[in-house]
Amino acid sequence: MNITIRERGALVFEALQNKSAKGIESMAEAIGISKSSVARHQKGIERRNQYEASHLWESEAGSVWLKQMVCGTIFHFGIKHGIGVGEISEFLKALELEHHVGCSPSALGRLKTQMKQRIVAYGEAQSEHCQPQEGQGIVLGSDEVFFGLPVLVLIELASGYIFTETQAEGRSYEDWSTAIAPLSEQSGWRCHGMVSDGAKALIKLAIEGLGCVSVPDLFHAMRALGQPIVSALGRQQGQLNKAMSKANERLSKRISAANRAKTQEEIVELKAQQATLTADKTTYDQAIQDISQRLHPFDIQTGQGQTFQDIKQQLSTPLERLTSLTKSYGGNKANDAIASFTQQVPHIVQGIHAWWYWVVAALATQTDDVLTQNWVMSRLLPWVYWQQQADKTQQSELKEQYQQAADEAAQRLLNDGFTLSLSPKDKQTWLDWARWMANNYQRTSSAVEGRNGYLTRLHHSGRGFSALDLSVLTIIHNFHLTRPDGTIAAQRLFDHEFPDLFEWVVEHMGELPLARQSKKTQRPNSFHLEGFPA
């Protein structure tokens, strides 16, 4: 009978629970194994049943659940979150499982390695379903994170799917070209843009390697724009607070009438400076917010599509406000930052233009009716886009502005006669398409930054990465992590339902390591003094 040791033990346990079983001989005959095996399993069960819940793990259902729990602990805590096998060993022993499964760090370490190999096997098994449709459009984000040698990360921003996550000798154009070779070999992709921090190698990779526009990361650009001014504002605020505190402290002491009057005048002047600083900070915040609101495919006020000239004109006012602040805050550094940002604006707008070209081309494949195309671009897309922006942002003021833009766009959509002429089915079809298209506009590489932070934490916890570790983490990201809608990155990009990664891995794992009886005996004392215990 070809069954495992653990399954034999479960059969013996069930036989013991069966009142009709008469002794070792009848149990051996019922199960189909030798009497000596039955006796050995009986003794093992008696030895393991030291706790109230121990009998649960002896049953077939309990054994399955035990495997699920141990594998889940290693998968979620050991692999995904970098908890060491020593801590996991202590955890499983605290659950009183050391008599039912091998809980030593070495046994769990081997089990963890085996699980990583199964995860890689899952990725290989699903690779046939990870092929692009001919001409499928993507927008990429790229960056490096350094652990001695850089790890090069390339993510499809709309879906969150990681194409490249590999350690290289450097971060030159040649290193990147080698890293993205698997992507380049899949000829079906059409890259419409790549968002990056503006490193020369990445700009060249976008333009020459991928044949798309290079889009400066708006987060980095905005941070560089505001850093000199906001730092100066912070320093002056700190100086004013310190001066105010000292002045109030002097007033609390016994001082002459003349000094008291002088100190009060100083406090009045400090309050006036604080009021000016607060007003300047408000001006700065409003200018930064205005710049962020203007760099979208649609005008936030009218919902109409924007060109470079539209955006250039709308950015002039907030940039002038920032320039006026440089006289008091930041000086030449702030002016240089504004000039640098102004030079990047055309490249940022390139990303908007590339998205609009994508919209027109993709829409043409869906319908050749001009009225439908105009309705989608001028009515449906603005509403869907601003609603997505309102849902994504966490900043309260921006969220309010985006939601207002979405509400106004919704009103224009509902009042359009073409909207009323469509059937519910057509409306749903176009709504799904518009959601997909609006999600394809990406102006930051925040997904890459978040990934870099996650890798940094795991690298610190595990004291390094192996090639196997990086492959495993990439597969988990692509096929296991879900968004609020329950979808995984691979599903969003390839429009295919993939089997659950964890369930697949558990199904393809072998037996759990068996608990071992310690063979260590207490070593005798090597010395003894009279009057002390041996």
Side-chain angles (χ1 to χ4, degrees):
M1 190 175 183
N2 187 21
I3 58 176
T4 66
I5 296 176
R6 198 179 299 277
E7 289 171 335
R8 288 180 179 178
L11 289 172
V12 173
F13 176 78
E14 291 176 5
L16 288 172
Q17 300 295 98
N18 187 350
K19 300 301 182 182
S20 63
K22 301 292 184 180
I24 292 177
E25 184 174 354
S26 58
M27 280 191 286
E29 184 178 350
I31 298 171
I33 60 177
S34 67
K35 291 183 289 183
S36 60
S37 294
V38 172
R40 185 169 65 254
H41 283 297
Q42 271 188 316
K43 292 180 181 179
I45 292 170
E46 292 172 0
R47 183 177 66 249
R48 293 192 295 271
N49 286 352
Q50 298 187 17
Y51 306 108
E52 185 177 353
S54 293
H55 69 283
L56 296 175
W57 314 124
E58 300 294 341
S59 66
E60 183 178 357
S63 178
V64 171
W65 198 89
L66 179 64
K67 180 179 181 180
Q68 189 93 355
M69 182 177 65
V70 173
C71 290
T73 301
I74 293 175
F75 179 82
H76 288 280
F77 299 107
I79 297 177
K80 287 176 60 178
H81 295 284
I83 305 300
V85 291
E87 288 295 320
I88 295 177
S89 174
E90 293 298 321
F91 171 72
L92 295 178
K93 289 176 181 177
L95 297 181
E96 301 175 343
L97 298 177
E98 68 273 16
H99 298 296
H100 301 274
V101 64
C103 291
S104 68
S106 58
L108 295 178
R110 290 190 293 271
L111 190 64
K112 184 177 179 180
T113 300
Q114 181 187 359
M115 183 170 289
K116 289 179 180 179
Q117 294 168 346
R118 296 296 181 271
I119 292 172
V120 172
Y122 172 94
E124 294 172 349
Q126 305 309 318
S127 61
E128 64 177 301
H129 303 296
C130 297
Q131 302 297 324
Q133 300 177 8
E134 188 61 35
Q136 182 173 349
I138 53 176
V139 55
L140 302 172
S142 58
D143 201 4
E144 311 94 359
V145 58
F146 288 87
F147 308 120
L149 294 175
V151 173
L152 310 182
V153 182
L154 185 73
I155 296 180
E156 204 286 315
L157 295 175
S159 64
Y161 185 88
I162 297 177
F163 279 113
T164 296
E165 191 169 61
T166 183
Q167 200 159 36
E169 292 296 324
R171 52 174 177 166
S172 66
Y173 171 73
E174 289 72 22
D175 293 318
W176 271 104
S177 297
T178 302
I180 69 168
L183 172 64
S184 302
E185 292 169 0
Q186 293 180 318
S187 58
W189 298 113
R190 181 179 178 185
C191 184
H192 291 272
M194 189 175 81
V195 185
S196 70
D197 59 8
K200 292 181 179 179
L202 295 178
I203 294 175
K204 184 177 180 181
L205 181 71
I207 298 173
E208 297 184 13
L210 297 171
C212 65
V213 297
S214 175
V215 183
D217 186 302
L218 187 62
F219 172 79
H220 287 90
M222 294 287 286
R223 186 177 184 276
L225 170 65
Q227 195 274 334
I229 295 178
V230 78
S231 295
L233 284 166
R235 285 194 300 271
Q236 291 196 26
Q237 182 67 62
Q239 292 169 1
L240 286 176
N241 290 343
K242 187 176 181 180
M244 182 68 77
S245 177
K246 289 183 177 180
N248 287 325
E249 185 179 351
R250 288 199 300 273
L251 279 182
S252 66
K253 299 178 180 179
R254 286 187 177 183
I255 56 176
S256 66
N259 286 337
R260 180 174 293 276
K262 183 178 179 181
T263 302
Q264 288 174 338
E265 290 177 1
E266 181 183 347
I267 290 176
V268 171
E269 176 61 26
L270 288 172
K271 287 183 177 179
Q273 292 179 27
Q274 285 183 330
T276 300
L277 189 70
T278 300
D280 290 341
K281 180 64 165 59
T282 301
T283 300
Y284 167 82
D285 291 338
Q286 187 61 54
I288 291 295
Q289 182 172 300
D290 286 348
I291 292 171
S292 178
Q293 288 178 344
R294 301 304 176 189
L295 291 168
H296 287 284
F298 300 97
D299 186 290
I300 195 169
Q301 303 296 333
T302 66
Q304 298 300 309
Q306 299 196 102
T307 65
F308 172 68
Q309 292 301 324
D310 297 328
I311 293 174
K312 182 180 178 181
Q313 183 179 356
Q314 293 173 6
L315 289 181
S316 61
T317 299
L319 288 175
E320 287 173 2
R321 291 179 193 157
L322 292 180
T323 301
S324 67
L325 291 176
T326 62
K327 298 174 183 177
S328 303
Y329 313 100
N332 292 333
K333 286 185 178 180
N335 281 316
D336 291 343
I338 294 172
S340 176
F341 179 81
T342 303
Q343 291 175 354
Q344 293 185 73
V345 169
H347 302 288
I348 296 173
V349 177
Q350 272 189 338
I352 295 177
H353 287 173
W355 181 78
W356 272 116
Y357 288 135
W358 190 358
V359 169
V360 173
L363 193 55
T365 64
Q366 301 297 311
T367 178
D368 57 3
D369 182 66
V370 176
L371 290 177
T372 303
Q373 293 176 353
N374 290 337
W375 173 79
V376 170
M377 290 190 291
S378 64
R379 292 292 183 260
L380 182 60
L381 264 178
W383 169 58
V384 171
Y385 179 83
W386 289 120
Q387 191 60 61
Q388 284 187 354
Q389 294 302 311
D391 293 340
K392 286 193 296 186
T393 186
Q394 301 298 316
Q395 210 276 341
S396 58
E397 292 185 10
L398 277 177
K399 188 181 220 38
E400 183 179 347
Q401 295 289 333
Y402 291 154
Q403 188 60 58
Q404 182 179 348
D407 293 342
E408 293 173 356
Q411 196 61 46
R412 290 190 292 269
L413 173 66
L414 294 175
N415 292 338
D416 193 294
F418 191 87
T419 306
L420 302 176
S421 68
L422 293 174
S423 67
K425 181 180 179 181
D426 288 339
K427 288 178 182 178
Q428 186 61 53
T429 299
W430 284 115
L431 178 59
D432 293 339
W433 185 90
R435 285 172 174 164
W436 165 76
M437 195 70 246
N439 192 48
N440 284 326
Y441 176 68
Q442 300 287 330
R443 60 180 193 168
T444 69
S445 59
S446 55
V448 187
E449 300 291 343
R451 184 62 179 175
N452 289 349
Y454 174 76
L455 291 178
T456 299
R457 181 174 64 81
L458 287 187
H459 183 272
H460 177 74
S461 299
R463 298 180 179 85
F465 283 137
S466 66
L468 176 62
D469 292 333
L470 279 177
S471 297
V472 167
L473 293 175
T474 303
I475 294 169
I476 288 175
H477 176 94
N478 288 339
F479 295 95
H480 177 70
L481 303 184
T482 61
R483 286 182 180 173
D485 62 1
T487 61
I488 59 175
Q491 178 185 350
R492 292 188 292 270
L493 183 61
F494 299 104
D495 194 24
H496 178 81
E497 293 287 339
F498 292 87
D500 183 271
L501 170 61
F502 176 68
E503 292 179 0
W504 190 96
V505 168
V506 172
E507 182 181 348
H508 290 78
M509 291 288 289
E511 285 191 83
L512 293 177
L514 296 174
R516 298 293 187 214
Q517 288 295 106
S518 175
K519 296 181 179 180
K520 295 181 180 179
T521 57
Q522 186 177 2
R523 295 177 63 183
N525 291 330
S526 58
F527 61 91
H528 174 67
L529 292 177
E530 186 176 352
F532 287 85

